[in-house]
Amino acid sequence: MGLFDDIMNVLTGGGGKGSSSGRPEDDEEKPEKEKRPGRRKRAAKVGGKAAGILVLVIFVAVAALNSVYTIGEQEQAVVTTFGVPGAVTESGLHFKIPFVQQVTKVDTTIQGFSVGFDSSEQQTVTNEAIMITSDFNFVDIDFYVEYRVSDPVKAVFASREPEMILRNLAQSCIRTVVSNYDVDSVLTTGKNEIQSNIKEMLLAQMEEQDIGLQLVNITIQDSEPPTAEVMAAFKDVETAKQGKETSINNANRYRNEKLPKAEADVDQILQEAESAKTKRINEAYGAVAIFNAQYEEYVKNPLVTKQRMFYETMEEVLPNLKVIIDGTDSVNTMLMDQLSDSAGQAAAAGNAQSAGKRAGDSSAAGNNAGSGAGNGQAAGSSTGTEAGVQDGASTVPEPEAN
């Protein structure tokens, strides 16, 4: 009889046509006492076989489930084969030898923890936060450390608690660096430099320990004095520093607004001065040239030149001349308005003649501008002589007849 029949006999109580002898009429003829031991033996035998089959099925199912594992995109695995670890970095479905290989999954995303602050309870951890500065002041500082797993094998087998080792190293580096700065730098201006120095020191120590973790960043979350009174004083200092910065910024803005305008004004003044200088120099050269030309004409015809200069001077003076007549009874002032018509006609004629003469003198003056200095001195002496002659003469002498 097959195994299936034995199982059915056990389930149905072992009676009927499915008996092991194949002769049901013989079993029925036997007494009831003789039938029970045989049935019990067969039931125990079949039960053992069924239990074995059940165990085998369970074993196969467990082995099948234990031979497959998956790795996520942000994970890596450490597969141990007879105690020898190996890293599996590719994500997806993987197979292993059941009961021989063991798989430990490692999260490779950026993780972090706080130093000096308990984020779950939102309160400061005094033992970690309080530190002493170089000027023997106490401050409360809390940091946040970010890291990731760089080597999963070392992260699993190089140490028992790599995160705790990283925390201890971070606290050591933080206290070492903070103790080199004064309290003002720690609370205000030196935070970036402190973070940089701590990160550099911590990277060097992690490379030395080689625990399979990589430091991503370490930042100062908050820094403040340990007591409320000192905190208020430092806040006042910080407010004053901010006011100082505001004043400096306002002054720089005012300077940036006014300085370009002042520079433009300076340039304008310099340009005007240069223009006036050039104008005066040109006028001086022109005056020297005219004087030299007049002197040349004077050397040629002294009397005619003196008379011409006298007439030109009178043309300029007479229009503004006042004549005072002192009579016997009263003093009468007569303006020269009556003479303006006749004097104007005479002056117009004289000006036309002198203008033609000046044009010729100007053309000659351009050629003789270089000799202005020596001739000017001689002309000055001659001019003084002429002035004396004019002052002493009661009447203008007539030109001599040739």
Side-chain angles (χ1 to χ4, degrees):
M1 184 178 290
L3 180 60
F4 181 75
D5 295 334
D6 293 337
I7 295 174
M8 292 301 296
N9 288 333
V10 172
L11 296 176
T12 58
K17 296 180 179 180
S19 62
S20 61
S21 63
R23 295 180 296 177
E25 60 275 5
D26 295 337
D27 293 337
E28 292 176 357
E29 294 176 354
K30 292 180 179 179
E32 188 68 24
K33 293 181 179 180
E34 294 178 1
K35 293 179 182 179
R36 289 180 180 176
R39 292 178 180 177
R40 290 177 179 176
K41 290 180 180 180
R42 287 195 300 270
K45 185 177 180 181
V46 174
K49 291 180 179 181
I53 294 172
L54 183 60
V55 171
L56 180 61
V57 171
I58 295 174
F59 177 79
V60 172
V62 172
L65 294 176
N66 198 26
S67 62
V68 178
Y69 66 96
T70 58
I71 300 178
E73 293 184 358
Q74 301 294 332
E75 291 180 339
Q76 292 184 4
V78 179
V79 180
T80 306
T81 305
F82 296 110
V84 179
V88 178
T89 60
E90 296 181 358
S91 60
L93 183 64
H94 297 271
F95 295 93
K96 66 173 184 174
I97 302 174
F99 308 108
V100 175
Q101 292 181 326
Q102 301 294 329
V103 177
T104 303
K105 296 181 181 180
V106 178
D107 188 4
T108 58
T109 58
I110 296 177
Q111 305 177 52
F113 57 85
S114 298
V115 177
F117 185 78
D118 189 354
S119 57
S120 60
E121 298 182 2
Q122 296 295 319
Q123 63 180 5
T124 301
V125 181
T126 306
N127 295 333
E128 296 180 357
I130 191 167
M131 301 179 190
I132 188 170
T133 60
S134 61
D135 52 355
F136 304 104
N137 285 307
F138 290 96
V139 291
D140 285 341
I141 310 178
D142 59 273
F143 290 79
Y144 189 78
V145 181
E146 295 177 306
Y147 70 94
R148 60 182 297 271
V149 176
S150 58
D151 190 337
V153 176
K154 292 181 180 179
V156 175
F157 292 99
S159 60
R160 180 176 297 178
E161 295 181 354
E163 183 178 342
M164 182 59 66
I165 295 175
L166 177 58
R167 177 184 290 272
N168 294 334
L169 291 176
Q171 292 183 14
S172 175
C173 295
I174 290 170
R175 294 184 182 278
T176 302
V177 173
V178 170
S179 63
N180 295 327
Y181 290 85
D182 56 12
V183 66
D184 290 334
S185 299
V186 174
L187 295 177
T188 56
T189 59
K191 292 183 179 180
N192 293 330
E193 184 177 354
I194 292 173
Q195 292 177 174
S196 177
N197 293 337
I198 292 174
K199 184 177 181 179
E200 183 178 354
M201 183 181 295
L202 186 55
L203 285 173
Q205 292 195 9
M206 289 183 65
E207 183 178 358
E208 181 180 354
Q209 296 295 329
D210 195 16
I211 57 176
L213 299 182
Q214 177 185 2
L215 179 65
V216 177
N217 196 14
I218 180 170
T219 56
I220 297 178
Q221 295 293 100
D222 191 16
S223 59
E224 58 185 11
T227 61
E229 293 81 3
V230 179
M231 187 183 301
F234 273 104
K235 286 183 178 179
D236 294 339
V237 173
E238 185 67 19
T239 302
K241 289 182 178 179
Q242 291 178 358
K244 172 186 174 182
E245 294 295 330
T246 302
S247 300
I248 292 175
N249 293 333
N250 292 334
N252 291 332
R253 184 181 62 184
Y254 180 79
R255 181 190 65 182
N256 294 333
E257 291 177 355
K258 298 298 181 180
L259 187 60
K261 184 178 182 300
E263 292 177 349
D265 294 340
V266 169
D267 292 338
Q268 182 179 359
I269 293 172
L270 291 177
Q271 291 176 3
E272 291 177 354
E274 289 292 334
S275 176
K277 172 185 174 182
T278 304
K279 181 180 179 181
R280 292 293 180 86
I281 292 174
N282 293 334
E283 290 177 353
Y285 279 122
V288 170
I290 293 173
F291 187 85
N292 291 334
Q294 290 178 351
Y295 179 74
E296 289 180 359
E297 295 299 325
Y298 177 80
V299 172
K300 294 177 182 179
N301 298 302
L303 183 59
V304 175
T305 304
K306 288 192 291 182
Q307 290 179 352
R308 189 190 69 185
M309 294 176 63
F310 176 77
Y311 292 147
E312 291 175 353
T313 304
M314 290 298 101
E315 289 175 358
E316 296 177 358
V317 172
L318 287 177
N320 298 324
L321 181 64
K322 293 181 180 181
V323 178
I324 300 175
I325 301 174
D326 188 4
T328 56
D329 297 332
S330 62
V331 177
N332 298 323
T333 301
M334 181 180 65
L335 299 177
M336 297 301 295
D337 295 336
Q338 298 83 356
L339 304 177
S340 61
D341 296 336
S342 59
Q345 295 176 357
N351 288 335
Q353 183 178 0
S354 62
K357 185 63 177 178
R358 288 178 183 176
D361 294 342
S362 299
S363 62
N367 298 325
N368 299 318
S371 59
N375 296 334
Q377 183 178 1
S381 60
S382 63
T383 304
T385 303
E386 293 171 3
V389 172
Q390 291 177 1
D391 293 336
S394 58
T395 60
V396 179
E398 294 293 336
E400 295 179 0
N402 292 329

